[in-house]
Amino acid sequence: MAVFKDIASLRQWRQNLRGTLVLIPTMGNLHDGHLALVRLAAARAEHVLVSIYVNPLQFGPREDFAAYPRTLDRDLQRLHEAGCQTVFTPDDGLMYPRGRQDICVVMPPHSLSKVLCGANRPGHFAGVCTVLSKLLHIVAPEILILGEKDYQQLRIVQQMVADLNLNVQVLPAPLQREADGLAYSSRNAFLSPTERRIAPLLAETLFDLARRSGGRTAVSDLRMAGWESLEQSGFLPDYLELRDGQTLQPLSVPQTGARWFAAAHLGQTRLIDNVIVP
Ligand code: AMP
């Protein structure tokens, strides 16, 4: 497996490459959800490149950038076993050589980025779009794979690719869950054993709401019932909303492609999840 740490040698490798290249951007601490993306990529293209970079630009001042789990040796081992041939592991000096202040950034559209996770995380999605556009320019893949776990991120990046005419196909990957329904996430590592037992109730609540949407109960009543049951289970919900899967605008009546979105704190850990209305 080739591991690139600088841009010049990666670009040289890229210039000589024949066949389709997929980029899977990650922040490392890889779990089975990430590895499912690698398998999807390998089925779609000849070459798979995984980037591992904890992007400081997308973390707020009070967020967990310093504590974010960094497990590079184990990640490389897991990628090697999963059949990934190429990895890019830039550092901050390579990605932001002039620092993080007073640099060009990519600003996502207000309607997609100031709602849900963007409402309480100012600058988060501009940080995501900026690092992803840098990675797309450096790696120049034909296909970009993003997981539906971060559904809002997926929609914003799809819009960025369309609005900026980026020459890449965005391929969404289905959300991967543990056997008990909890969405795989690097942040699950922060959960205490008691919190880990409670955590699947987030997905359970969303599946229950999705199943009951379109029935007799109004969306506002479903939302209130879901919120209360999360609180009773020990979550501190951040948001719980039914939104359109394309525009991410709130819905009072379920329609095709609608999704329930949730973010909730469990102790110190913030979990997110989303479920499509069948
Ligand atoms: P991250 O390392 O958290 O930035 O995630 C890297 C990529 O993996 C993103 O496109 C995520 O949406 C995707 N991903 C993370 N967890 C999951 C999951 N449980 N199912 C599917 N994709 C995921």
Side-chain angles (χ1 to χ4, degrees):
M1 194 168 67
V3 181
F4 292 102
K5 294 180 189 306
D6 71 295
I7 295 172
S9 52
L10 173 56
R11 283 210 165 122
Q12 197 171 8
W13 166 83
R14 178 69 183 107
Q15 266 171 9
N16 296 322
L17 204 65
R18 295 287 163 268
T20 308
L21 174 63
V22 180
L23 167 64
I24 306 173
T26 79
M27 298 205 298
N29 193 239
L30 302 181
H31 48 64
D32 288 356
H34 292 118
L35 297 183
L37 270 53
V38 174
R39 284 194 296 278
L40 175 66
R44 285 301 185 104
E46 286 89 348
H47 306 284
V48 181
L49 186 149
V50 172
S51 64
I52 299 179
Y53 178 56
V54 185
N55 173 35
L57 216 58
Q58 69 192 69
F59 287 78
R62 284 177 303 280
E63 292 180 5
D64 56 355
F65 173 67
Y68 198 85
R70 290 160 172 87
T71 53
L72 185 60
D73 290 345
R74 195 175 136 270
D75 291 347
L76 294 179
Q77 184 63 34
R78 295 206 77 185
L79 286 174
H80 178 64
E81 286 162 11
C84 167
Q85 313 102 329
T86 316
V87 183
F88 181 42
T89 59
D91 62 16
D92 292 344
L94 193 73
M95 294 303 275
Y96 303 110
R98 295 196 305 111
R100 284 179 265 141
Q101 305 299 323
D102 195 34
I103 56 167
C104 290
V105 295
V106 178
M107 204 53 75
H110 206 277
S111 63
L112 294 177
S113 66
K114 300 295 181 206
V115 298
L116 300 171
C117 284
N120 293 326
R121 301 184 74 188
H124 170 68
F125 287 113
V128 169
C129 286
T130 302
V131 79
L132 282 181
S133 58
K134 285 170 76 76
L135 288 169
L136 287 170
H137 282 108
I138 294 167
V139 177
E142 278 84 14
I143 300 174
L144 170 68
I145 291 189
L146 297 173
E148 290 186 344
K149 159 85 180 358
D150 301 280
Y151 190 87
Q152 184 177 13
Q153 167 175 284
L154 165 69
R155 274 299 302 125
I156 288 172
V157 175
Q158 284 175 327
Q159 202 58 54
M160 173 181 85
V161 165
D163 289 351
L164 300 183
N165 303 94
L166 302 184
N167 196 14
V168 68
Q169 178 201 343
V170 180
L171 185 62
L175 199 161
Q176 303 292 316
R177 301 181 179 280
E178 304 239 20
D180 60 11
L182 175 64
Y184 283 109
S185 165
S186 302
R187 292 193 168 94
N188 294 350
F190 295 141
L191 297 170
S192 71
T194 309
E195 289 164 352
R196 177 62 189 81
R197 277 194 293 279
I198 298 170
L201 292 172
L202 183 62
E204 213 172 281
T205 303
L206 290 174
F207 276 108
D208 185 49
L209 291 174
R211 206 169 35 241
R212 293 166 64 197
S213 301
R216 277 197 219 149
T217 318
V219 165
S220 55
D221 291 339
L222 287 175
R223 179 177 179 274
M224 213 177 336
W227 190 282
E228 276 169 16
S229 101
L230 285 177
E231 280 186 333
Q232 277 161 16
S233 309
F235 289 94
L236 192 61
D238 190 353
Y239 59 76
L240 175 64
E241 293 176 27
L242 181 70
R243 289 193 174 241
D244 182 85
Q246 279 300 111
T247 64
L248 302 186
Q249 293 314 294
L251 296 173
S252 51
V253 178
Q255 45 187 254
T256 315
R259 282 178 184 261
W260 279 97
F261 294 88
H265 292 269
L266 195 52
Q268 299 298 307
T269 311
R270 185 174 181 275
L271 300 175
I272 62 168
D273 202 338
N274 70 90
V275 168
I276 192 165
V277 173

